Amino acid sequence: MSILRVYKLYFSPNRKYVKALKNLLGFVPGNLSLYRLAFRHKSVAQNVKKGVKNSNERLEFLGDAVLGSIVAEVLFKLYPYEDEGFLTELRSKIVSRVNLNQLARKLGFDKLIEYDSRMVGSTRQGSLLGDAFEALVGAVYLDKGYDFTRNFLVNHIIKSHIDIHQLEKTETNFKSKLIEWCQRHGKDITFELTENQEGESNKLFTVRALVDGEVLGTGKEFNKKNAEKLAAEKTCEALGI
Amino acid sequence: MSILRVYKLYFSPNRKYVKALKNLLGFVPGNLSLYRLAFRHKSVAQNVKKGVKNSNERLEFLGDAVLGSIVAEVLFKLYPYEDEGFLTELRSKIVSRVNLNQLARKLGFDKLIEYDSRMVGSTRQGSLLGDAFEALVGAVYLDKGYDFTRNFLVNHIIKSHIDIHQLEKTETNFKSKLIEWCQRHGKDITFELTENQEGESNKLFTVRALVDGEVLGTGKEFNKKNAEKLAAEKTCEALGI
């Protein structure tokens, strides 16, 4: 163990924080201020300069991108015979807010995140944990570089906490899939509520999905959300995605 | 110059291809088959295994992610006092299909891409160059690793061919911005055409933008696309993005 590590873990004024991070991450962090920032929610951020706040949002932006890239590579190599549609879909399940929130909760992030407790219960609290997870990835990347971050994510997080083959089987969100595909291919996607038939007791909703102005799928259901889902599913079929 | 490089450039049966790549990339590629794959459009792909085609689409998936991560880091460091909304928007301009198509054309990709010439003029040809650019990034990453790819992109591509400060000033696409934000935050976004008023000579379209079912912006215009744009812009304002 290097002298610096011994100092950080046992003698520095931050030793408690360093130990908590080491337990969480499995390694001794270098630049502590990056990790503190990753766990600071905007609800407790202060202005550090004109218009600049010390919250984790910029790190979240960076971490989201780095995480996306590392997960892309993991899947690319894990599934050599699957096409890019499969890889895109599986990645979006892995990095979904729901999945990252669960993951961060399992890892005990709730003990480390600083946030305004008046937020508890509000809708904005929903993605607090997942956002902090992404910000942490950004912090590790800036502190230790890409290859270290990849090894950390693969060996410490993905192998122990994410069941990729299980996620592979969960139901697909065709709407997200369609929107993502359109984003990637520079297409315009719109869902239009075209009819709103009043039946005897239930309303029937008709939704059309338009890609670059062309109707590629229609769904009729007794609630709007399901009508949209169906329209998206049919459009995915039509596009072969 | 190493013996392997000398062999590759002057004696190997692939020397013409190696030289073309070296002119394009500024370095001598290692695994040639990756680069060949990056330039092979699906219109000329063959089945190499049951259901598996040797097109550039899987590499495009990987390269898109690696490119996103590298551009995120470049912007994170270039703009230390801008928030994540600014960074997200500027990145989406840099990696937009339009921008990558232009870039790939400038770099002379049209001479290297293999595709079915019957596709010329069809709508599917639109993103051929930009897709190949992303696939190339994936190939460089697999061939040389992340740090090499970052240096290649920063020093050989971004510094010479992308005017970030110019892109910063170009007009924003509020609809893309809103969809991207919703994707990132796990929100549901829908555009609804609610009214279709017939005026004396022109039709007036009313479009509402709903985030998680809540109307956050409405736009009225004489064509549907502009009504949508306006609704998206108002919604971005309402959300403070």
Side-chain angles (χ1 to χ4, degrees):
Chain A
M1 199 185 281
S2 77
I3 292 173
L4 188 63
R5 282 189 55 175
V6 171
Y7 169 76
K8 275 188 176 164
L9 277 167
Y10 301 106
F11 301 102
S12 91
N14 299 311
R15 59 186 178 276
K16 266 184 87 170
Y17 193 61
V18 174
K19 270 195 186 161
L21 283 176
K22 184 175 179 287
N23 286 339
L24 172 69
L25 305 170
F27 62 86
V28 177
N31 183 348
L32 273 193
S33 62
L34 283 171
Y35 297 85
R36 284 198 201 279
L37 187 60
F39 288 115
R40 193 192 315 256
H41 186 260
K42 64 180 167 203
S43 58
V44 292
Q46 287 141 2
N47 269 313
V48 287
K49 222 182 160 94
K50 207 176 61 182
V52 184
K53 289 192 165 179
N54 60 353
S55 79
N56 63 5
E57 288 173 292
R58 276 171 49 90
L59 278 179
E60 183 197 334
F61 162 77
L62 179 63
D64 169 76
V66 172
L67 179 67
S69 175
I70 290 169
V71 173
E73 185 191 351
V74 168
L75 298 181
F76 185 92
K77 291 180 172 167
L78 190 61
Y79 295 96
Y81 300 124
E82 297 287 354
D83 67 16
E84 74 294 346
F86 173 92
L87 302 175
T88 302
E89 189 185 323
L90 187 49
R91 182 177 58 168
S92 72
K93 286 179 188 169
I94 293 173
V95 301
S96 74
R97 213 32 79 192
V98 174
N99 201 42
L100 294 186
N101 280 339
Q102 276 177 2
L103 179 64
R105 192 169 294 115
K106 260 186 9 194
L107 292 168
F109 274 38
D110 43 330
K111 292 176 203 79
L112 284 162
I113 296 179
E114 290 179 72
Y115 65 97
D116 186 335
S117 58
R118 285 169 297 181
M119 266 182 48
V120 177
S122 84
T123 53
R124 310 209 72 167
Q125 196 209 350
S127 59
L128 188 120
L129 291 160
D131 293 350
F133 181 80
E134 289 183 339
L136 176 74
V137 174
V140 176
Y141 175 67
L142 290 176
D143 190 29
K144 305 276 188 178
Y146 192 84
D147 293 335
F148 186 98
T149 309
R150 182 179 49 195
N151 292 339
F152 161 68
L153 281 175
V154 170
N155 298 319
H156 198 77
I157 306 288
I158 297 178
K159 279 191 186 153
S160 326
H161 297 286
I162 300 180
D163 187 341
I164 294 180
H165 297 292
Q166 183 57 41
L167 281 172
E168 198 188 320
K169 288 177 215 138
T170 58
E171 201 214 336
T172 307
N173 180 340
F174 286 101
K175 195 176 169 190
S176 301
K177 188 176 167 179
L178 180 58
I179 290 174
E180 198 166 311
W181 185 91
C182 288
Q183 290 271 85
R184 274 173 56 82
H185 290 78
K187 305 273 186 199
D188 195 65
I189 169 77
T190 316
F191 292 91
E192 270 183 20
L193 184 66
T194 52
E195 276 177 65
N196 218 338
Q197 274 178 17
E198 210 120 1
E200 288 195 312
S201 58
N202 289 309
K203 268 181 165 181
L204 192 62
F205 293 86
T206 307
V207 169
R208 305 192 304 176
L210 292 92
V211 176
D212 277 356
E214 192 186 346
V215 180
L216 292 183
T218 304
K220 273 179 203 285
E221 283 285 352
F222 289 105
N223 76 61
K224 217 194 77 197
K225 208 150 189 145
N226 286 344
E228 259 178 30
K229 267 191 194 168
L230 194 61
E233 185 172 349
K234 286 185 179 169
T235 308
C236 286
E237 263 177 46
L239 290 165
I241 52 176
Chain B
M1 201 185 277
S2 77
I3 292 173
L4 189 61
R5 281 189 55 177
V6 172
Y7 169 75
K8 276 188 175 164
L9 277 167
Y10 302 106
F11 301 102
S12 90
N14 299 312
R15 57 188 180 276
K16 266 184 87 171
Y17 193 62
V18 173
K19 270 194 186 163
L21 283 176
K22 183 174 179 286
N23 287 337
L24 173 69
L25 305 170
F27 62 85
V28 177
N31 183 348
L32 273 193
S33 62
L34 283 171
Y35 297 85
R36 284 199 200 278
L37 187 60
F39 289 114
R40 191 192 313 258
H41 185 260
K42 64 181 168 203
S43 58
V44 291
Q46 286 141 1
N47 270 313
V48 287
K49 222 181 158 94
K50 207 176 59 181
V52 184
K53 289 193 165 178
N54 60 354
S55 79
N56 63 5
E57 288 174 292
R58 276 171 49 88
L59 278 179
E60 183 198 336
F61 161 78
L62 179 63
D64 169 77
V66 171
L67 179 66
S69 176
I70 290 169
V71 173
E73 185 191 353
V74 167
L75 298 181
F76 185 92
K77 291 179 171 167
L78 191 62
Y79 296 96
Y81 301 123
E82 297 287 353
D83 68 16
E84 74 293 349
F86 173 92
L87 302 175
T88 303
E89 188 186 323
L90 187 49
R91 183 178 55 170
S92 73
K93 286 179 188 169
I94 294 173
V95 301
S96 73
R97 212 34 77 192
V98 174
N99 200 42
L100 295 186
N101 281 340
Q102 276 177 1
L103 179 64
R105 191 169 296 113
K106 261 187 5 194
L107 292 169
F109 273 39
D110 43 330
K111 294 178 201 78
L112 284 163
I113 295 179
E114 291 179 70
Y115 64 97
D116 186 335
S117 57
R118 285 169 296 178
M119 265 183 49
V120 176
S122 83
T123 55
R124 311 209 72 169
Q125 196 209 350
S127 59
L128 188 120
L129 291 160
D131 293 351
F133 181 81
E134 289 184 338
L136 175 74
V137 174
V140 177
Y141 174 67
L142 290 177
D143 190 28
K144 304 276 187 177
Y146 191 85
D147 294 334
F148 186 98
T149 309
R150 182 178 50 195
N151 292 339
F152 161 68
L153 281 176
V154 170
N155 298 320
H156 197 78
I157 305 289
I158 297 178
K159 280 189 186 155
S160 326
H161 298 286
I162 300 182
D163 187 340
I164 294 181
H165 297 291
Q166 184 55 41
L167 281 172
E168 198 188 320
K169 289 176 216 141
T170 58
E171 201 213 338
T172 308
N173 180 339
F174 287 101
K175 194 175 168 190
S176 301
K177 189 176 166 178
L178 179 58
I179 289 174
E180 196 166 312
W181 185 89
C182 288
Q183 290 272 82
R184 273 174 55 82
H185 290 78
K187 306 272 186 199
D188 196 64
I189 169 77
T190 316
F191 292 92
E192 269 183 22
L193 184 66
T194 52
E195 276 177 65
N196 219 339
Q197 275 178 16
E198 210 119 4
E200 286 195 315
S201 58
N202 288 311
K203 268 183 166 181
L204 192 62
F205 293 85
T206 307
V207 169
R208 306 192 303 175
L210 293 93
V211 177
D212 277 355
E214 192 187 347
V215 181
L216 294 182
T218 304
K220 273 180 206 284
E221 284 284 351
F222 290 104
N223 76 60
K224 219 194 76 198
K225 207 147 190 150
N226 286 344
E228 258 178 30
K229 267 192 193 169
L230 194 60
E233 185 172 350
K234 286 185 179 170
T235 307
C236 286
E237 261 177 48
L239 290 165
I241 51 176

